[in-house]
């Protein structure tokens, strides 16, 4: 144990005791030497851990590979069920990977922080995860929070992996460093909202029929865009508005997340749009709809974006849930008819989570894939020689991720993301070979900016649940 001048020792200098310096800081060798809600920092002092951090999952045997997660597990209304289920998908993947000896015999641990949907809090937590815990990779969720964390991650050569952040701004982050070279440090399994926005605009302006030839928006003449005023909502607002033009006499109402939604309510109540596109999160959308009903606006047609595909929406609406029966929405596709990779994930997830259907939430499959991708990137970083492993750093994980999509015309073995072929994929990537992956969320053919295009699911609210209507390939322009 370290010693300094001007310190006092625990009684009898028992093993595991700690020392207090003149500055009031307690020295430590591990977090077991510290008080509750403190952790042993890399510099050897007990420091408070950020509020919301502390949960750790994984296997502590040997020298675990510690990863970080800064996720909005709660919001102003309480637990965010969609985010909780996405974390459950990450945990499922981590457990499956650890059951197969992790990477080079080292198991993964995941240190989890709840951001409470606050970008500033997420950034503070990320700084702690990077500087005090030394994680090489962080999982994030939510576009505004991912952008806030990105400056911390990139500056410290830490990989950032997000399963929900769909803002087009993320593709434009300056995430290449001297260490990472031509490969960026920010990756996502969720596609850009440039694609989702085009689909929504084409649907509500009746520019395309559904697969069954029906046109549910044929009589729409006025569209109101009700959106959360952050990177996520602003991006969707801009894409949809630009594509609508003046075809459907658009109007709009921004609001702050978990803040005052009265302007949005007034836009719906007084404007009486034929359809209100709700580009926001379930807790805020529930408040807007409930307040609109209280003010006498019933029978409104709603269209939801991916952030509201969350069973918590029905819970938050209570008796007003009948007002969204028949509403449509879009989300990056997960369930595909006959897709064995998704079906395997779905059954594993249900078995591990009280028969919960992951298809009732956005991004559960994307979260599961995210953990497997980081593990394969770490396998490349460590290399094939278990007796002489290379450092598992953010830039090396990123280069490993670039090995998971073969260049056009290049033959490569395709591996499903999941337990069935993980060891084969891990062993091949560790030698530096390029492979192809098929995720539970889809093909995951990554481009140079670290994102993969995707089909979208058109869903409809039926009987208090989300029912997939069809899958839509987004227009490229």
């Amino acid at each position: 144990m370290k010693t300094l001048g001007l310190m006092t020792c625990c009684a009898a200098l028992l093993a595991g005791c700690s020392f207090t310096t003149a500055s009031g800081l307690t020295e430590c060798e591990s977090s077991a030497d510290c008080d509750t809600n403190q952790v042993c920092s890399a510099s050897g002092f007990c420091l408070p851990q950020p509020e919301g951090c502390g949960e750790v999952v994984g296997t502590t045997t040997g020298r675990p590979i510690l990863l970080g997660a800064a996720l909005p597990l709660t919001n102003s209304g309480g637990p965010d069920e969609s985010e909780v289920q996405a974390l459950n998908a990450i945990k499922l993947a981590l457990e499956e990977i650890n059951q197969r000896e992790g990477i080079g015999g080292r198991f993964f641990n995941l240190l989890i922080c709840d951001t409470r949907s606050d970008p500033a809090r997420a950034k503070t937590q990320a700084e702690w995860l990077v500087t005090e815990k030394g994680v090489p990779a962080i999982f994030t969720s939510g576009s505004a929070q991912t952008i806030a964390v990105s400056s911390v991650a990139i500056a410290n050569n830490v990989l950032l992996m997000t399963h929900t952040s769909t803002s087009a701004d993320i593709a434009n982050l300056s995430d290449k460093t001297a260490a990472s070279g031509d490969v960026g440090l920010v990756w996502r399994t969720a596609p850009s909202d440039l694609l989702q926005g085009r689909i929504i605009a084409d649907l509500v302006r009746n520019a395309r029929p559904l697969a069954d030839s029906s046109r549910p928006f044929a009589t729409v003449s006025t569209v109101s865009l009700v959106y959360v005023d952050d990177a996520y909502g602003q991006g969707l607002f801009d894409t949809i508005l630009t594509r609508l033009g003046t075809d459907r006499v658009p109007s709009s109402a921004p609001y702050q997340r978990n803040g005052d939604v009265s302007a949005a309510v007034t836009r719906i109540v007084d404007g009486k749009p034929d359809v209100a596109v709700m580009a926001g999160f379930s807790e805020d959308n529930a408040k807007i709809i409930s307040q609109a009903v209280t003010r006498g606006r019933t029978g409104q047609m709603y269209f939801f974006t991916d952030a509201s595909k969350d069973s918590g929406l029905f819970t938050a609406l209570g008796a007003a849930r009948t007002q969204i029966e028949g509403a449509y929405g879009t989300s990056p596709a997960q369930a595909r008819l006959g897709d064995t990779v998704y079906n395997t994930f779905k059954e594993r997830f249900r078995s591990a989570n009280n028969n919960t259907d992951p298809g009732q939430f956005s991004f559960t499959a994307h979260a599961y894939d995210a953990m497997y991708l980081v593990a394969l990137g770490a396998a490349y970083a460590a290399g094939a020689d278990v007796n002489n492993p290379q450092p598992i750093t953010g830039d090396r994980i990123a280069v490993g991720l670039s090995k998971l999509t073969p260049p056009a015309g290049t033959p490569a073995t395709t591996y499903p993301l999941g337990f069935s072929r993980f060891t084969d994929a891990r062993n091949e990537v560790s030698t530096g070979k390029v492979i192809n992956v098929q995720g539970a969320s889809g093909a995951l053919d990554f481009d140079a900016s670290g994102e993969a295009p995707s089909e979208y699911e058109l869903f409809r609210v039926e009987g208090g649940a989300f029912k997939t209507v069809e899958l839509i390939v987004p227009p490229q322009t």
Side-chain angles (χ1 to χ4, degrees):
M1 180 171 289
K2 296 180 181 179
T3 58
L4 291 177
L6 298 176
M7 62 188 177
T8 58
C9 179
C10 320
L13 297 177
L14 297 175
C17 71
S18 58
F19 296 90
T20 302
T21 68
S23 63
L25 293 177
T26 301
E27 290 196 302
C28 57
E29 291 182 342
S30 72
S31 294
D33 298 332
C34 302
D35 292 336
T36 304
N37 297 325
Q38 288 186 325
V39 291
C40 189
S41 71
S43 55
F45 294 98
C46 292
L47 297 175
Q49 65 185 12
E51 186 180 1
C53 297
E55 181 185 358
V56 181
V57 296
T59 305
T60 58
T61 304
R63 296 181 301 112
I65 303 167
L66 183 61
L67 305 175
L71 307 171
L73 301 173
T74 57
N75 54 48
S76 61
D80 187 319
E81 187 66 17
S82 184
E83 294 290 350
V84 169
Q85 297 304 339
L87 175 58
N88 284 339
I90 293 175
K91 290 178 178 179
L92 174 62
L94 183 146
E95 179 183 15
E96 292 172 350
I97 293 164
N98 282 347
Q99 287 172 345
R100 287 154 182 82
E101 294 295 299
I103 302 301
R106 296 178 64 190
F107 302 104
F108 286 102
N109 276 7
L110 183 66
L111 181 53
I112 301 165
C113 297
D114 176 14
T115 69
R116 292 186 185 170
S117 308
D118 181 350
R121 178 176 162 122
K123 187 172 184 178
T124 297
Q125 293 169 341
E127 289 170 343
W128 176 73
L129 288 167
V130 169
T131 60
E132 298 299 336
K133 305 309 294 182
V135 301
I138 299 176
F139 296 95
T140 60
S141 180
S143 295
Q145 292 167 84
T146 294
I147 291 171
V149 169
S150 67
S151 60
V152 175
I154 295 167
N156 289 279
N157 193 38
V158 170
L159 181 99
L160 203 57
M161 174 64 78
T162 177
H163 50 281
T164 70
S165 304
T166 55
S167 169
D169 291 344
I170 291 172
N172 299 320
L173 292 172
S174 298
D175 61 342
K176 296 179 177 66
T177 66
S180 67
D182 293 333
V183 181
L185 290 169
V186 180
W187 291 69
R188 55 179 169 180
T189 53
S192 169
D193 276 329
L194 286 176
L195 306 180
Q196 181 174 202
R198 292 168 187 163
I199 292 173
I200 294 171
D202 286 351
L203 286 169
V204 299
R205 69 190 178 101
N206 194 34
R208 53 157 296 157
L210 302 190
D212 63 2
S213 298
S214 65
R215 292 180 176 270
F217 304 98
T219 61
V220 167
S221 61
T222 56
V223 177
S224 185
L225 307 179
V226 180
Y227 65 99
V228 60
D229 201 7
D230 66 7
Y232 170 68
Q234 291 164 5
L236 281 168
F237 160 74
D238 181 63
T239 300
I240 297 170
L241 182 67
T242 300
R243 201 167 182 90
L244 282 176
T246 58
D247 280 359
R248 293 297 180 272
V249 193
S251 63
S252 63
Y255 59 88
Q256 296 300 314
R257 185 172 185 184
N258 298 325
D260 181 8
V261 297
S262 58
V265 175
T266 297
R267 173 63 65 190
I268 292 172
V269 173
D270 294 349
K272 296 180 174 58
D274 292 328
V275 61
V277 177
M278 309 295 283
F281 297 86
S282 58
E283 70 273 17
D284 286 324
N285 283 341
K287 285 194 297 184
I288 293 168
I289 294 167
S290 295
Q291 290 180 28
V293 171
T294 299
R295 291 179 54 181
R297 181 59 174 167
T298 59
Q300 172 66 55
M301 180 186 290
Y302 294 101
F303 193 107
F304 296 107
T305 60
D306 49 41
S308 276
K309 193 189 177 193
D310 171 1
S311 63
L313 176 64
F314 303 116
T315 303
L317 280 170
R321 70 177 61 187
T322 59
Q323 294 299 311
I324 64 170
E325 188 70 16
Y328 286 90
T330 49
S331 178
Q334 297 190 111
R336 292 169 171 83
L337 186 63
D339 188 314
T340 58
V341 183
Y342 177 80
N343 288 339
T344 297
F345 157 69
K346 176 182 177 181
E347 292 308 311
R348 289 281 297 167
F349 186 92
R350 292 180 75 131
S351 297
N353 296 286
N354 300 314
N355 205 36
T356 300
D357 179 4
Q360 290 300 301
F361 305 90
S362 294
F363 305 116
T364 48
H366 297 80
Y368 180 79
D369 290 345
M371 181 63 224
Y372 268 103
L373 290 170
V374 170
L376 291 174
Y380 169 85
D385 187 352
V386 296
N387 296 316
N388 185 32
Q390 300 303 301
I392 298 177
T393 58
D395 60 289
R396 291 180 60 80
I397 296 174
V399 174
L401 292 175
S402 73
K403 304 291 185 181
L404 306 183
T405 301
T410 303
T413 304
T414 298
Y415 293 98
L417 293 181
F419 65 86
S420 65
R421 307 262 335 256
F422 170 71
T423 55
D424 293 335
R426 175 189 64 194
N427 294 342
E428 192 161 351
V429 168
S430 69
T431 67
K433 291 182 179 179
V434 175
I435 66 172
N436 197 15
V437 294
Q438 177 73 24
S441 66
L444 294 174
D445 294 324
F446 291 103
D447 62 20
S449 65
E451 61 181 85
S454 171
E455 293 175 303
Y456 277 78
E457 167 193 352
L458 177 67
F459 62 82
R460 191 169 187 264
V461 177
E462 294 184 10
F466 301 105
K467 179 181 178 181
T468 300
V469 177
E470 63 182 77
L471 300 184
I472 299 174
V473 176
Q476 295 305 302
T477 57

